[in-house]
Amino acid sequence: MLLCDTNILIEVFRGNALIETELRSIGIDNIAVSDITRAELFYGALNKGELHTIRKYLNRFPTLHISDEISEIAVDLVEQFCLFHKLDINDAQIAATAIYHNFNLYALNIKDFAFIPNLQLHIP
């Protein structure tokens, strides 16, 4: 299974054909999103129409909810990497979700995650 970072789905909404092709090759049944990604995409909606489009698209994928265990992993990651790598809370939550579920993370901003141990990155 693969967890999509928010920036992957932003590219889908922008019409990035390379990303869309990659997601199709992975297969919709092999993709999940986190609560954080859903919230970030909803936050970026400019109007009700966009919000509806985002919600409809996201409903195609299982949503991985933040649990106590995921939150603990995320807090540990922030503590370890906030000073030198400037790991932010949302990225830590997304990385922790991938680690907890043992999913690869598909992200465009590899440098924001490459230093995290036990996190497997999907690099097409």
Side-chain angles (χ1 to χ4, degrees):
M1 286 289 287
L2 191 76
L3 183 68
C4 279
D5 188 26
T6 308
N7 58 26
I8 294 297
L9 299 178
I10 288 171
E11 288 301 308
V12 169
F13 292 121
R14 289 181 177 163
N16 184 323
L18 293 174
I19 298 293
E20 290 176 19
T21 300
E22 178 68 15
L23 291 178
R24 272 194 297 280
S25 73
I26 293 164
I28 194 168
D29 294 334
N30 298 313
I31 298 170
V33 297
S34 74
D35 280 335
I36 299 301
T37 292
R38 288 181 68 92
E40 287 180 327
L41 290 170
F42 292 154
Y43 181 79
L46 298 177
N47 54 52
K48 287 182 182 182
E50 278 191 12
L51 188 62
H52 175 73
T53 300
I54 292 166
R55 185 181 306 112
K56 185 176 178 182
Y57 184 80
L58 291 176
N59 285 342
R60 301 167 53 189
F61 308 107
T63 299
L64 303 178
H65 302 289
I66 302 300
S67 65
D68 291 345
E69 296 85 2
I70 291 170
S71 289
E72 287 178 26
I73 294 168
V75 169
D76 288 344
L77 291 174
V78 170
E79 182 180 8
Q80 289 178 56
F81 300 112
C82 68
L83 295 178
F84 185 70
H85 293 285
K86 299 296 182 199
L87 180 64
D88 72 35
I89 295 166
N90 289 346
D91 284 348
Q93 286 281 4
I94 291 169
T97 301
I99 291 167
Y100 179 79
H101 289 282
N102 197 30
F103 286 6
N104 289 353
L105 178 63
Y106 184 21
L108 294 176
N109 51 338
I110 300 297
K111 67 175 178 49
D112 292 347
F113 296 102
F115 54 86
I116 299 174
N118 302 319
L119 177 64
Q120 298 299 311
L121 296 171
H122 173 80
I123 302 172

